[in-house]
Amino acid sequence: MRSLTAALALLLTTSTCQGFVAPTSSHNLHQIITPTTTPSSTQFNKQQPLSRLSVATDINAVGAPGTADLPWSELGFEFRPTKSHLRMTYRDGKWQEAEMVESPYINVHIGATALHYGQACFEGLKAFAHEDGSVNLFRPDENAKRINRSGHRVMMPEIPVETFIKACNDVVKDNVAYVPPYGSGGALYLRPLLFGSGPRIGLQPAEEYTFIVMVIPVGDYYKGGLAAPVDGLIVDDYDRAAPKGVGAAKVAGNYAADLIPNMAAKKKGFPICLYLDAATHTLVEEFSTSNFIGIDNENKKYITPKSPSVLPSITNKSLQTLAKDEGMTVEQRDIEIAELSTFDEVIACGTAVVVTPIGSLTRFDENGEESKYQFTEDVGETTRRLYDTVRNIQNGEIEDPHNWNYKVE
């Protein structure tokens, strides 16, 4: 486990960025960082050690998780109001100071590029309460890298990694009461969002951008979590992303494209959709909001698609590492539809779902005839083992050998 101080100290040895501090006073705003020096010395750089900022380093300074009046054992994956969100604006070529805002509303210019041209991307990560009362973010550095890759694809400014991590740290600290308590099975879900907030009528990038981080206490994405596998539908009438498009970027439009097929599948009794490659409809790509994993237990193989249209999942990346730790062979390659019949277990994975076992995948041909790929009726042994390992690391119950946890300070 890495402390935020140690993580940022490491980052600061290799990067320079415009730092941020909260204003000394503002309506409905809460201070993020309190400089112990004058405002002119609040830039992050190689010469300024992190110790010159007043950063909380003990649990009591952060506060106790799980003290909000919520039904912790009944949480699903849905919006719930919390204390605040973090907001930061990019203007005049640089990021301005960050603010904590209690109002859940934001004023946006009617000409904002996010509204007209979809210039927006987002992330998803979680914070977990540990038994010792601390709260830890899971791999926020990877989310920082991915939001910058997504932003670059749609011409938005980079958010320095240390700025992103500090923003996540501070919004969790300000909402620590909403972090589900240790043992509840829940987590505080963070949704960083970057969008073009400046006006443009012609197709071009904005001059102003807004970055926010909202937080929501959540439970399982699919009711029951790992209790039972869910049945999926293979989608033929729609495509999620085109070759050489934006499928590998976490941009808002990718998810809007899934709304119609997703809702139609649910009406048929399938809570999750599996998309095929748009060019040939012969290769497995990914689920609606999750990466695809196929498990071959006999040959100890973990197989996941390699495609420029698939969003690189941080959960998948973590599970691949854990699978390799166990001695499994990890393969990232094309997966023909016919190969589905060879898998003992199929998994949908992502930050929101963590790991969802797939019991079957059904496909309908143009005449409405059904074909079905059946997997385990119960949670598979490899699915269970990988899930338990990553969740135990997230909850601080076993060793964190790869230093994925960042302690909130």
Side-chain angles (χ1 to χ4, degrees):
M1 177 180 70
R2 281 179 277 194
S3 70
L4 180 73
T5 304
L8 294 187
L10 177 62
L11 288 165
L12 290 173
T13 63
T14 59
S15 63
T16 302
C17 72
Q18 176 69 34
F20 60 87
V21 296
T24 55
S25 63
S26 182
H27 181 64
N28 270 357
L29 303 180
H30 303 283
Q31 193 164 2
I32 299 175
I33 305 175
T34 304
T36 57
T37 58
T38 61
S40 62
S41 62
T42 57
Q43 284 190 333
F44 290 132
N45 54 51
K46 294 180 181 179
Q47 287 72 42
Q48 179 181 333
L50 190 65
S51 60
R52 294 182 68 180
L53 303 178
S54 296
V55 180
T57 56
D58 64 280
I59 296 170
N60 292 330
V62 173
T67 56
D69 185 17
L70 289 175
W72 299 114
S73 62
E74 301 173 14
L75 296 178
F77 198 87
E78 59 189 1
F79 179 83
R80 289 178 183 268
T82 52
K83 179 185 177 184
S84 63
H85 70 273
L86 179 140
R87 189 182 303 175
M88 186 165 62
T89 304
Y90 182 89
R91 189 184 298 119
D92 300 325
K94 62 183 180 180
W95 286 106
Q96 309 300 308
E97 56 191 26
E99 304 169 336
M100 290 293 181
V101 184
E102 290 188 345
S103 171
Y105 297 98
I106 185 168
N107 289 324
V108 179
H109 195 286
I110 60 172
T113 57
L115 300 179
H116 295 263
Y117 301 117
Q119 199 182 20
C121 63
F122 67 97
E123 273 300 319
L125 65 155
K126 289 179 177 177
F128 299 86
H130 288 189
E131 189 174 14
D132 63 4
S134 66
V135 177
N136 292 262
L137 291 158
F138 187 71
R139 307 197 76 174
D141 54 325
E142 291 295 328
N143 294 96
K145 297 171 188 174
R146 191 170 66 177
I147 199 171
N148 282 327
R149 290 195 299 269
S150 298
H152 176 76
R153 180 62 181 83
V154 289
M155 296 192 70
M156 292 195 287
E158 179 179 342
I159 304 168
V161 172
E162 61 269 31
T163 301
F164 181 95
I165 295 175
K166 191 67 175 69
C168 293
N169 177 90
D170 289 339
V171 75
V172 171
K173 185 166 66 173
D174 201 50
N175 290 272
V176 70
Y178 294 90
V179 178
Y182 174 79
S184 67
L188 189 69
Y189 180 75
L190 285 73
R191 172 61 65 83
L193 169 66
L194 173 62
F195 64 94
S197 49
R200 291 288 195 192
I201 297 302
L203 179 58
Q204 55 185 309
E207 291 186 346
E208 177 188 289
Y209 296 86
T210 298
F211 174 62
I212 66 172
V213 186
M214 58 186 287
V215 297
I216 308 164
V218 299
D220 293 320
Y221 190 88
Y222 298 108
K223 192 172 182 180
L226 207 61
V230 301
D231 295 319
L233 177 67
I234 298 174
V235 178
D236 275 299
D237 295 335
Y238 298 89
D239 294 320
R240 176 189 165 272
K244 301 182 181 180
V246 292
K250 202 170 176 69
V251 295
N254 284 350
Y255 296 81
D258 180 52
L259 287 172
I260 288 178
N262 187 277
M263 293 301 107
K266 284 180 168 61
K267 288 182 179 179
K268 295 178 181 178
F270 301 99
I272 191 169
C273 294
L274 177 65
Y275 286 92
L276 307 175
D277 73 296
T280 69
H281 271 220
T282 62
L283 303 174
V284 172
E285 289 230 313
E286 67 177 329
F287 292 103
S288 301
T289 60
S290 311
N291 275 188
F292 175 98
I293 301 167
I295 300 296
D296 178 350
N297 284 321
E298 182 178 353
N299 296 300
K300 296 186 68 175
K301 287 186 177 182
Y302 175 117
I303 304 168
T304 192
K306 182 177 183 179
S307 167
S309 299
V310 170
L311 179 74
S313 163
I314 295 165
T315 304
N316 194 351
K317 183 176 182 178
S318 303
L319 294 175
Q320 288 178 45
T321 299
L322 297 177
K324 290 176 183 177
D325 289 347
E326 292 184 357
M328 295 186 73
T329 299
V330 173
E331 296 179 358
Q332 286 185 282
R333 58 172 174 78
D334 288 346
I335 300 174
E336 298 276 352
I337 293 177
E339 193 176 354
L340 290 174
S341 62
T342 69
F343 294 134
D344 301 302
E345 305 170 37
V346 167
I347 303 168
C349 77
T351 299
V353 301
V354 187
V355 165
T356 297
I358 306 299
S360 69
L361 287 168
T362 298
R363 189 180 193 185
F364 294 97
D365 66 18
E366 57 186 12
N367 297 316
E369 294 295 321
E370 173 186 313
S371 58
K372 179 179 285 190
Y373 300 92
Q374 189 71 48
F375 311 111
T376 55
E377 294 183 1
D378 299 316
V379 179
E381 58 183 54
T382 301
T383 301
R384 169 69 69 181
R385 190 172 62 251
L386 291 173
Y387 174 82
D388 286 346
T389 302
V390 73
R391 293 293 282 115
N392 288 339
I393 291 173
Q394 290 172 335
N395 289 322
E397 294 170 345
I398 61 174
E399 182 184 358
D400 177 14
H402 302 287
N403 291 318
W404 289 338
N405 289 321
Y406 283 67
K407 184 177 178 180
V408 173
E409 299 179 324

